[in-house]
Amino acid sequence: MTTKILVVTGDAAESLEVLYPYQRLREEGYEVHIAAPTRKTLRFVVHDFEPGFDTYTEKPGYTWPADLAFSEVDPGQYAAVVIPGGRAPEYLRNDPELRKILKSFFDADKPVAQICHGPLLTAAADALRGRRVTAYPALELDMQAAGATFQDSEAVVDGTLVSARAWPDHSAWMREFLTVLRTKAPAT
């Protein structure tokens, strides 16, 4: 049986932060499902860094179908979870069903990959206290408020939790996450 990985996201997620791990994990031999508040076609965005802007810019990105709604997720069926960034985590953190899903992954010490604004979700699930993480640098104070130690680096590994700052860090993020997965949850 193929090992399953869950990606939790929603509208306004960063396109690259959803699709890169989705494709990379499938390439590695995992079965990957995308869950969102409802089953629908999700609308992702592209965040870019442009000269003269104090922060990132946002443009429309790809669309992609959600395989299942959060209410349909059985966390026991999944070996790990991926939490992309973008703006989606700003509103998804208010979803009690998603917080329960994430809590179950941490309670079972299953691998969790989070990037950019994704740690807003694990903070909302009260799963960062006492951990080392990275995130989009503007979230340093949010991570500290959640009880985490913030580190500004490409990828931070704390047990089964693997964090990255943003899509430019994909290679380091997935390299570290796959190292954890190959030990805790091999593809087959």
Side-chain angles (χ1 to χ4, degrees), residues 5 27 35 79 82 86 107 131 153 159-160:
I5 308 290
E27 177 184 45
V82 176
D107 288 349
R131 291 190 174 264
S153 60
T160 56

Side-chain angles (χ1 to χ4, degrees), residues 8 25-26 29 35 38 46 64 74 80 96 100 104 113 130 135 137 139 148 153 158 167 172 183:
V8 293
L25 292 166
R26 291 188 60 192
T38 61
V46 172
W64 199 266
D74 174 1
K100 284 192 297 189
S104 71
L139 297 185
S153 60
D158 185 321
W167 61 261
T183 300

Side-chain angles (χ1 to χ4, degrees), residues 129-148:
R129 197 165 309 285
R131 291 190 174 264
R132 292 177 299 106
V133 300
T134 195
Y136 187 69
L139 297 185
E140 180 176 359
L141 295 177
D142 299 276
M143 297 300 96
Q144 291 170 352

